Amino acid sequence: MRYDIAFFLCCCRSFLSSSGRDEGETFYELLGVSPKASHDELKRAYKRQSLLMHPDKLAQKGQSVTPADRDRFTRMRHAYEVLSDPRRRETYDAIGERGMKWVEEPLSVDPQELAHNFATSSVVDRSKIFAIFLGIYVAVFLLPVLVCLTADGTLGENVTWAAVLAPLWVWDVFILFYHSRVILMGPIKRPDHIPEEEWVDPLPMWKRVMAMVRFACLVLFQVLLALRLDGAIAAPWSVVFIPMYLWDVIALRRKIMLTRISIVTHEELELAIGKKIGECTAAERGEIHRRYIVVPTKSGSLYDSACRLRDEARMDIIRILARVTFTVLLVLNLDLGAGWSWWLVFLPIFAMAGCVVGSAFGSFAKTQSEAVKKDPAMFGLDPSDEDGGTYSKMDENKQGEEKTPLSDEEKDELKAKVAQSAYRAVGTCFSQCFFILIMCVLIGKIEGASYSSLVIISPFLAAGGIILCCLACTIFCISEVDENAGMAEFDTAVDRAAAASGYGAVENEQANSSDYTPPAQADQQNDISVAVTMESGVSTSGTTTSSKSKPPPSSIWDPERGEVWQNMTVDEEEHKAESERKEEEIKAAHERQPAIIEENPSINSITSSQCDLD
């Protein structure tokens, strides 16, 4: 089995169907062959099934062709295309039709189906996913933990740094293998939708080689550092850090090229080069790609991204210069034995953090000022206020031009841009403050503090552990919930509560009773009223009946008066009178409604039948 399929099964088995097989006919059943059929057998089976299932052949036989027949033929043809390709056939045999579709077309995945399959998956499949995250956690934090334990002397005096840095050597091997594969894969093929005269290789060979050389310098520095710490070489620290100087020089050259790049539109570029872009040769297009960033207009998201790329390159230059200065001070302090304070050696790092924070807030101020120019009212400013800054002061060249008001969509986009810049500035400030705190803890340890070196990386270990625990709870605690589960118990609890409070007793008795008494008719109302009056009189006159409980309130239906209640208390009668009064007011308001409608000639008249329905 291929490694990619094995990895997919290891990671995504829980997202596949719990049965492990697709429903319906398999590709082999559609073609009428066994799973071990050869390529020639598949070819003969496809021809045979085409003669039997093709819609034209069915029509020639006098059979009616249904959409199901067409879909089955299309699926059979797709089955032959998959099984005739050895790579796709191996994928189909391993993960089925649905899994192969997810691998080839990730956007076709149904999230609800994935959630259902994961909720019904086994603990073993979920444990595989958790094991992957656990492996990532160990791979990330194993090297820092080993370095801290070695620095504290916990691993003993005989341990070597070459052995401690073994996880780093593994990472280096994988990354070097990746760079070599990138170089050996050759030029990137031009997509079919891009004309040949407009195609520029986004990853030319010189960039790949420079990336390989830069990483090789970093690996060489790691080897020299390990040998110097183990005492295998006696070279001065200035020689050990030579690969780092080369690494920084290559990075600095690339960042300087980005800061000098120009952001132009298509019209400005054609005006600068004196001809259209399509008329340029491949070498000229490569030179244009290195010197210019072409955008449709000098506004919009593409222009903002280009400006942000150039600003980030400037900040990277500051970081590189700060790192070089720190390296020089470190080498001088180690080789010359000057005995400088480590706080002084790390001073360029603190200055770099301050520059990064200042640049972030400067970018936010620039974005805000541009937003004020476009819409001062959004910030509570008056465009005509001389003290608050007028359009004429902000754009002196456009005094005579009339400002076009922004649409609601443009205002929302402007607010989002300002908010994003503010979030970025605040996030940069917090991250740099945290970085400075970690540097202070590191310097304190170098100066001779008594705490363990693990304290330096403890925030990262704690954050990674919390994330790992949350992932474990998410992976193992998700289960499928039945929508009707617990409804019977809930109904029983509601009935018990209603019975305990006395509600629903009369309704339950009537429901359980087999006799049904229909509403009284109009000619029976007088007899019922007399009977009710006589019963009430007997109950009040007799001494024995006075001790009996009063019957519950009941109602009768009067065609003229509607529902009439009997045996009600004073409070109930007052409440009933209040309800009737409100109903009379609503009824009177409805009766006045037609007169108001008739005064409006634009509204059609309402018939009496419609009023009755209302």
Side-chain angles (χ1 to χ4, degrees):
M1 184 181 292
R2 299 199 316 266
Y3 293 109
D4 56 345
I5 298 179
F7 181 77
F8 179 82
L9 289 176
C10 180
C11 299
C12 305
R13 169 67 75 179
S14 58
F15 293 101
L16 299 177
S17 178
S18 57
S19 61
R21 296 185 178 274
D22 299 320
E23 298 178 358
E25 290 182 298
T26 63
F27 286 172
Y28 295 103
E29 293 173 351
L30 276 174
L31 293 172
V33 296
S34 64
K36 296 182 180 180
S38 62
H39 181 72
D40 295 335
E41 293 175 348
L42 289 174
K43 194 172 183 179
R44 289 194 297 268
Y46 173 68
K47 292 181 179 179
R48 181 177 62 253
Q49 292 297 98
S50 297
L51 295 175
L52 296 175
M53 300 172 58
H54 198 284
D56 295 340
K57 299 296 181 180
L58 295 177
Q60 291 176 2
K61 295 178 182 179
Q63 299 180 7
S64 60
V65 180
T66 62
D69 296 332
R70 298 181 183 276
D71 295 340
R72 194 163 185 268
F73 173 75
T74 303
R75 188 166 181 267
M76 187 272 299
R77 185 172 55 186
H78 175 66
Y80 174 72
E81 293 175 356
V82 171
L83 298 180
S84 59
D85 187 350
R87 185 178 181 84
R88 299 181 70 186
R89 182 177 181 178
E90 186 178 1
T91 305
Y92 173 78
D93 293 339
I95 57 180
E97 181 182 0
R98 185 180 291 106
M100 185 185 65
K101 186 177 181 181
W102 289 350
V103 171
E104 296 179 350
E105 301 177 8
L107 298 179
S108 64
V109 178
D110 185 8
Q112 295 183 356
E113 183 179 0
L114 288 180
H116 170 73
N117 294 338
F118 183 79
T120 56
S121 61
S122 63
V123 179
V124 177
D125 293 334
R126 300 189 187 196
S127 300
K128 294 178 182 179
I129 298 179
F130 180 74
I132 293 173
F133 288 107
L134 183 61
I136 294 174
Y137 179 84
V138 173
V140 170
F141 292 106
L142 178 61
L143 179 62
V145 170
L146 291 177
V147 171
C148 292
L149 294 177
T150 305
D152 291 338
T154 307
L155 300 180
E157 297 180 356
N158 296 327
V159 65
T160 60
W161 283 98
V164 171
L165 298 179
L168 183 61
W169 310 137
V170 176
W171 282 107
D172 290 342
V173 169
F174 278 107
I175 297 176
L176 286 174
F177 176 74
Y178 166 76
H179 280 290
S180 61
R181 288 293 302 270
V182 170
I183 293 176
L184 294 176
M185 73 179 185
I188 299 177
K189 295 183 179 180
R190 177 182 58 85
D192 296 335
H193 65 279
I194 299 180
E196 185 176 358
E197 61 274 5
E198 298 180 4
W199 169 247
V200 177
D201 191 351
L203 195 62
M205 188 58 63
W206 68 270
K207 283 188 177 181
R208 307 179 196 182
V209 174
M210 290 300 296
M212 181 73 171
V213 171
R214 189 165 178 257
F215 185 74
C217 292
L218 184 60
V219 173
L220 180 60
F221 167 73
Q222 295 169 4
V223 173
L224 294 177
L225 179 62
L227 296 176
R228 181 67 174 82
L229 291 175
D230 290 336
I233 59 175
W237 288 101
S238 57
V239 177
V240 174
F241 277 88
I242 286 178
M244 285 300 297
Y245 299 147
L246 297 177
W247 188 69
D248 288 330
V249 167
I250 295 174
L252 185 63
R253 175 181 174 276
R254 179 170 175 269
K255 298 302 178 180
I256 291 177
M257 291 175 60
L258 285 177
T259 56
R260 292 181 177 180
I261 203 167
S262 301
I263 304 175
V264 296
T265 61
H266 292 277
E267 294 78 7
E268 293 175 347
L269 177 61
E270 292 177 354
L271 183 62
I273 62 179
K275 57 182 177 181
K276 295 185 177 297
I277 301 177
E279 300 175 356
C280 299
T281 61
E284 291 175 344
R285 288 198 301 271
E287 185 67 21
I288 291 173
H289 185 68
R290 287 192 295 268
R291 296 178 57 185
Y292 299 98
I293 296 179
V294 183
V295 295
T297 58
K298 288 295 185 69
S299 62
S301 59
L302 293 178
Y303 179 75
D304 295 338
S305 300
C307 293
R308 193 179 303 113
L309 178 64
R310 191 169 56 183
D311 295 339
E312 290 177 356
R314 293 170 181 169
M315 287 309 307
D316 290 338
I317 291 177
I318 296 177
R319 293 188 181 94
I320 293 173
L321 294 178
R323 188 167 58 243
V324 169
T325 306
F326 164 73
T327 304
V328 171
L329 293 177
L330 178 63
V331 169
L332 293 177
N333 197 27
L334 293 175
D335 284 342
L336 300 180
W340 296 339
S341 174
W342 287 103
W343 296 98
L344 177 62
V345 175
F346 278 84
L347 186 60
I349 304 298
F350 297 132
M352 177 197 69
C355 292
V356 171
V357 174
S359 175
F361 279 98
S363 177
F364 167 68
K366 180 180 178 181
T367 304
Q368 189 178 20
S369 64
E370 292 177 354
V372 170
K373 293 179 182 179
K374 295 180 179 179
D375 188 11
M378 186 175 66
F379 298 90
L381 301 177
D382 187 4
S384 60
D385 188 6
E386 296 181 358
D387 297 333
T390 60
Y391 284 126
S392 59
K393 287 187 176 182
M394 291 183 178
D395 290 328
E396 295 180 356
N397 297 331
K398 299 182 180 181
Q399 289 183 356
E401 298 181 4
E402 183 180 356
K403 293 291 180 179
T404 304
L406 299 178
S407 61
D408 294 338
E409 183 178 355
E410 292 176 341
K411 289 182 179 180
D412 294 339
E413 183 179 356
L414 193 61
K415 290 179 182 179
K417 183 179 178 181
V418 175
Q420 184 180 6
S421 179
Y423 295 151
R424 191 182 299 112
V426 175
T428 302
C429 180
F430 277 104
S431 62
Q432 294 302 314
C433 290
F434 178 74
F435 174 73
I436 291 175
L437 178 62
I438 296 297
M439 288 294 103
C440 292
V441 177
L442 174 62
I443 296 172
K445 180 61 180 178
I446 296 175
E447 290 285 350
S450 59
Y451 51 80
S452 174
S453 299
L454 292 174
V455 176
I456 302 173
I457 62 173
S458 59
F460 304 99
L461 292 174
I466 293 173
I467 295 174
L468 199 63
C469 292
C470 294
L471 287 173
C473 295
T474 304
I475 291 173
F476 292 105
C477 297
I478 291 180
S479 61
E480 191 174 20
V481 179
D482 188 4
E483 297 180 356
N484 298 324
M487 292 302 297
E489 292 80 358
F490 176 76
D491 294 339
T492 304
V494 171
D495 293 340
R496 290 177 180 175
S501 59
Y503 292 102
V506 177
E507 289 80 355
N508 293 334
E509 292 178 359
Q510 294 178 356
N512 297 329
S513 177
S514 60
D515 298 334
Y516 171 71
T517 303
Q521 299 297 327
D523 55 354
Q524 300 175 356
Q525 295 300 320
N526 296 330
D527 296 339
I528 294 174
S529 302
V530 172
V532 171
T533 305
M534 290 176 64
E535 291 178 359
S536 61
V538 172
S539 62
T540 55
S541 60
T543 57
T544 58
T545 57
S546 60
S547 60
K548 297 181 180 180
S549 60
K550 184 180 178 181
S554 60
S555 64
I556 60 176
W557 181 260
D558 189 354
E560 296 181 357
R561 294 185 298 168
E563 190 177 14
V564 179
W565 286 86
Q566 302 292 337
N567 301 326
M568 295 185 358
T569 60
V570 178
D571 296 337
E572 293 174 346
E573 291 178 356
E574 293 178 355
H575 178 70
K576 182 63 177 178
E578 182 69 19
S579 301
E580 291 178 354
R581 185 180 62 81
K582 292 182 178 180
E583 291 179 359
E584 291 293 337
E585 293 179 356
I586 295 173
K587 185 175 180 180
H590 280 293
E591 291 176 354
R592 291 193 300 269
Q593 180 95 11
I596 298 174
I597 294 178
E598 290 175 359
E599 293 177 0
N600 190 351
S602 62
I603 301 178
N604 297 329
S605 60
I606 299 179
T607 61
S608 59
S609 61
Q610 291 175 335
C611 294
D612 294 339
L613 290 176
D614 294 337

